[in-house]
Structures are given as C-alpha cells and as structure tokens.
Amino acid sequence: MGEFGVVRRQFGHRARLALSPAEIRVMDDQAHAARTLWNCLHSWWQMMPKGKRTLAGADAAIRQARKDLDYLAVLPAQAAQAVLKTYHRAWVNCWEGRAQEPTYKGRFRAPMSVDIPQGRDLNIVRVHRRWGMVNIPKVGRVRFRWTKDLPVGKRANQENRITGARLVKDALGWHIAFRVQTIERAPGPHQGPEVGIDAGVSIPLALSNGDHQDHGRATWTPGGTSDRDKWLNADEKARLLRLEHKAARLKQHRKKGERTSNRLRAVYDQIRALRAKAKRRAEDWQHKTTTYLAQTYGVIVVERLNILGMTKAPAPRPDPDNAGAFLHNGAAAKAGLNRAIAQEAWGRTVTMLTYKTDRCGGRLVKVPAPYTSQRCSACGFTVPGSRASQELFVCKNPDCGWTANADWNAARNILHLYRIGHVVVEVPAAGRRGRRAGKTVKPTAAM
C-alpha cells in the first residue's frame, strides 16, 4: 500500500426517499411515537430518585410502556432503544459541560426522526443508476435517490459497510441519512499551489490568484438592500411573497394564546418548503465549490473570523437634539449586510474545506483576521480611508496608489500572513477526530 498506509473513515450520506401517502403516514406515526417516548422517558427520569436513575430501570420502563400503550408499539424495538441511548448521551453531554440539560420535545418544534441502529436491517440494493431500494422496519421496501456509491452487496465487508441510518423529515419530505464506514488509502501530500481565500459578500470566495468563485447571485449592495431569497428564481420569489401575505392575513384573525389553525399551518409548511429548496441549492454550490478548491490547491489559507461579532446590530446612540430619542446609526444598512453574511454561511464553507482538504491530502490554515481588508497587499501599508467601499480598495499611500477589488486585496494579504508565519490554526492532513476523518491504521495483507 505504500508508505502512507490506509485510513478508516466514518461519514454520513443523505438521500431522498420516494414514499407513498400510506408509507408517509406510517413513518410520521413512528416519528411521533419516538418523540412521545422521549417525553415519557424524560418524565420518568425526573420523577425517579437519583439512586434509581439507571439504564436498566429506564429500559424496563420503556418495555412496559410499549406493552401498555399501542401508540408506542408502532415504533420498532431497536428504534426505541436508540431513543434511550440518545437520551442518556444527552445527559452525559450535560454532565461534561458540552450541552444544556435535555428537555421535552414539542410536537411542532422538534424535528421528526427515527433511528435505525443496525445496518444489517437495511438490505440495500441498487436498482439502476438513479434509484436504490432500502428496507425500513415496519414500513417495507422503499426507493431512495442513488447519488453516491455505497458499500453494499459484494463491495460490503467488515471494514467497508453501512453501520446504520436515521430517517429525518424536513420541509421537503422524508430523507434517509446513512452512517458509512470505509477503509481508504491514506492520501499523500497534495502537490497543488498555495492560495488565500477571503469570504465576502460582493465576491463570495475571492482567491489570491484571481480564481474567484462566484455563484452569480447578488446578495447585498452598498445601499443596504439585501436579497433574502437569492437562491430562488423569479416565479418562486413571487409565490413566496404571495404565501407570506396570505400568512399575514390569516394571522390577523388568530387571538392571543389561540392555537395556529390548520390553514395557517399549511401556509407555513409551503413557506418552509421554499426556504428549504433555497438552502439546498446554496449547500449544493458550496459542496461543488469546496470540492474543486480541495482538489486544486495543496494549502488553503482562510481567516479566523468571529462571525457572531461581525453580525451584531449597532448599538443605538442618543439623539443630542431630541431628548429620549435615539439615532438610527445606520441600522438598516447594517441589517442588510448582516443578512448577506448569514446567507453566505462562511462557517459552513470552512467546515467543508476542513474535511475535504484532509481527504485530498492538503492543509487548511487559519490566520488572524484584523486589518486584512484595510492593508494594501502591494506596498504593505495600512492607511486610513484606503477601503473606499465594500467592493473597491484604493491605497492612500502617495507612493503606491494601488487599486483593486477589496476582497481580492484581502485574499492576497491572507496568503502573505501565512507565508511570513502568522498562523493561528493549522489543520493536519491526518489524525483528527470526528465524523469526517478517522485514525490512520496499518495496512493488512488482505489489502
């Protein structure tokens, strides 16, 4: 296998399910049963004394509840055990300071999901190029969209297999998320060039070598306006506007404290479906773009950004001419910029680059963010007023006068910081924990 050995990786793959109305009802009932079981388990846990809060006691309570309540019996036994394991893990995370205490799940707030912990129960078969078949407990054989080669059939073994799955429902319907474990050849060092990347709103990803990545959908203009639905076409935007107006009219007739009507809830579901479609298109562009970058460049340098601090609204200032009043302080323009930053999802882009550069043998490096957009990449001076606008950089140094796109100038500065050693975080090519990268293992004779 060469000097690099092999790497064990664990990752997830999500696929869309093609269900009939009857199958949708069965899966909805299972998801509601799983949520109800969680709530019953939470009540039991709070009611019992601390000395009797054990996994064995909780398991016995779950088994008895499934016998007494037919509604809970629609949930497969292994899925019920998965609810117990997930609930106990939530408490462990709380005790170790990684999360807050688990609480009750609301019917309309909590996401609908059902776990299939055993991969051998799935019996996955590829039907043809576009579709596959999977077995779902108490539902039967169901088609799913085949968009990625999975280790099934003769390709599956102890090291390359599907270890389980989770059924998840969102605004676009039911999906299945497979948990995949594979053994792959460990990649050698990537021989590609170095590149600095600046995440912006005029150019989504500006590269130091000029190979900018743009999705062609304007997000924000210096006047402060923002296109909230830039990933929808004109007809979809018009439909979304009609639905929002309809929801506003229906909401006027709802009294305070009154439950949302079924008609209003149906309108909300249509709005969520359009929002989910826009998010899916944005993630598709991010996946394709980050894959291209990870395969092309050996070292990718980005800023370590405090996105939460960047999207804070400006504090209002008192109006000196009007007692008790406050100045707007550019709040409308800042709100548009904040929406544009949130829509670009810079953090998700960096997360994708992190595990994709690892799989390609490259490196991801983070450098300090201050003054990268205000420093001239040609002369190296930081002169006040050089950032002429959100899109244009004009160096005010009398001996320079360099003019360029502001995001491109920042990308050049980001790469320069890496080359002179100002590195904050460097992600190694192997040895990281987590879902996207596993530990390196020695090659065996069989491989």
Side-chain angles (χ1 to χ4, degrees):
M1 295 296 295
E3 59 178 326
F4 299 105
V6 293
V7 176
R8 178 181 292 114
R9 300 187 185 275
Q10 295 180 351
F11 60 93
H13 172 63
R14 182 164 169 163
R16 177 167 54 90
L17 293 172
L19 302 173
S20 65
E23 293 169 340
I24 292 176
R25 286 194 296 270
V26 173
M27 293 182 63
D28 287 348
D29 290 342
Q30 289 189 10
H32 287 306
R35 177 188 55 82
T36 305
L37 188 61
W38 173 284
N39 292 339
C40 293
L41 186 59
H42 186 59
S43 298
W44 178 90
W45 191 273
Q46 292 182 321
M47 179 183 62
M48 298 298 292
K50 289 186 177 181
K52 296 185 179 180
R53 294 176 182 175
T54 62
L55 283 176
D59 179 64
I62 286 178
R63 294 177 184 272
Q64 187 62 38
R66 286 172 50 80
K67 292 179 181 178
D68 297 340
L69 301 175
D70 295 337
Y71 180 73
L72 297 180
V74 301
L75 187 66
Q78 292 184 350
Q81 294 298 316
V83 173
L84 173 59
K85 292 180 181 179
T86 305
Y87 182 79
H88 183 261
R89 172 51 58 182
W91 274 112
V92 171
N93 293 337
C94 175
W95 296 332
E96 296 179 355
R98 294 193 298 268
Q100 297 180 351
E101 291 186 5
T103 183
Y104 292 103
K105 291 186 176 182
R107 178 179 178 87
F108 299 107
R109 296 190 307 270
M112 300 178 65
S113 63
V114 180
D115 200 32
I116 306 177
Q118 299 293 336
R120 62 173 179 267
D121 297 335
L122 298 173
N123 297 325
I124 301 173
V125 177
R126 185 170 186 177
V127 179
H128 51 77
R129 185 172 64 90
R130 294 179 179 271
W131 294 95
M133 296 287 289
V134 60
N135 183 65
I136 298 178
K138 294 196 174 184
V139 177
R141 302 291 290 172
V142 175
R143 290 193 307 158
F144 69 92
R145 188 72 169 175
W146 191 281
T147 56
K148 183 180 181 65
D149 289 336
L150 300 173
V152 298
K154 296 181 179 179
R155 299 180 55 190
N157 52 46
Q158 188 62 26
E159 300 294 345
N160 298 275
R161 59 194 176 94
I162 295 177
T163 60
R166 177 180 287 269
L167 305 172
V168 182
K169 186 177 183 180
D170 60 11
L172 298 176
W174 278 98
H175 297 74
I176 184 168
F178 298 105
R179 294 187 288 269
V180 186
Q181 173 184 300
T182 61
I183 289 288
E184 301 176 1
R185 184 190 296 271
H190 200 299
Q191 302 302 321
E194 303 167 346
V195 68
I197 299 180
D198 176 72
V201 292
S202 60
I203 299 179
L205 295 177
L207 274 61
S208 57
N209 60 0
D211 185 19
H212 307 315
Q213 302 299 308
D214 191 0
H215 45 58
R217 299 172 184 265
T219 304
W220 179 82
T221 58
T225 60
S226 174
D227 187 358
R228 301 185 183 184
D229 310 301
K230 60 190 177 70
W231 293 99
L232 300 178
N233 58 38
D235 293 338
E236 291 168 340
K237 289 180 181 179
R239 180 167 177 262
L240 178 61
L241 184 61
R242 290 195 300 269
L243 290 172
E244 290 176 340
H245 288 172
K246 184 177 181 180
R249 290 195 303 270
L250 293 173
K251 194 175 180 180
Q252 292 177 350
H253 302 286
R254 187 180 63 177
K255 299 179 181 178
K256 186 177 181 179
E258 186 180 3
R259 291 186 61 182
T260 305
S261 65
N262 292 335
R263 183 175 298 178
L264 179 57
R265 198 176 301 281
V267 176
Y268 284 156
D269 289 341
Q270 296 178 61
I271 294 175
R272 278 194 291 268
L274 286 173
R275 299 288 189 194
K277 183 181 293 186
K279 180 181 178 181
R280 184 178 61 180
R281 291 172 181 172
E283 290 182 346
D284 178 71
W285 180 84
Q286 284 183 307
H287 273 293
K288 292 177 180 177
T289 303
T290 52
T291 299
Y292 164 76
L293 294 174
Q295 292 176 350
T296 305
Y297 300 101
V299 179
I300 297 178
V301 190
V302 298
E303 297 174 293
R304 187 175 69 170
L305 297 172
N306 180 13
I307 301 177
L308 185 62
M310 295 173 61
T311 54
K312 281 187 177 180
R317 295 181 301 172
D319 189 351
D321 300 330
N322 189 2
F326 292 89
L327 297 174
H328 289 290
N329 197 25
K334 186 61 170 66
L337 178 60
N338 291 348
R339 285 194 298 268
I341 294 174
Q343 284 183 338
E344 291 300 332
W346 295 342
R348 190 168 61 202
T349 300
V350 173
T351 300
M352 293 179 181
L353 284 173
T354 301
Y355 72 86
K356 291 183 180 182
T357 52
D358 173 79
R359 298 196 70 172
C360 295
R363 289 185 296 157
L364 180 74
V365 179
K366 295 184 180 181
V367 298
Y371 304 110
T372 54
S373 62
Q374 303 174 23
R375 185 185 303 113
C376 178
S377 60
C379 66
F381 283 90
T382 303
V383 182
S386 295
R387 185 70 182 264
S389 66
Q390 186 68 26
E391 299 182 0
L392 183 63
F393 181 90
V394 180
C395 183
K396 297 300 183 179
N397 183 4
D399 298 330
C400 180
W402 190 68
T403 303
N405 179 272
D407 295 332
W408 181 38
N409 175 73
R412 286 159 54 98
N413 288 325
I414 291 170
L415 180 60
H416 179 69
L417 287 176
Y418 162 72
R419 289 176 173 173
I420 63 177
H422 287 270
V423 175
V424 178
V425 178
E426 180 173 352
V427 180
R432 291 200 313 275
R433 296 178 57 195
R435 175 178 65 86
R436 301 176 181 89
K439 62 181 180 179
T440 303
V441 298
K442 296 180 179 180
T444 61
M447 291 185 288

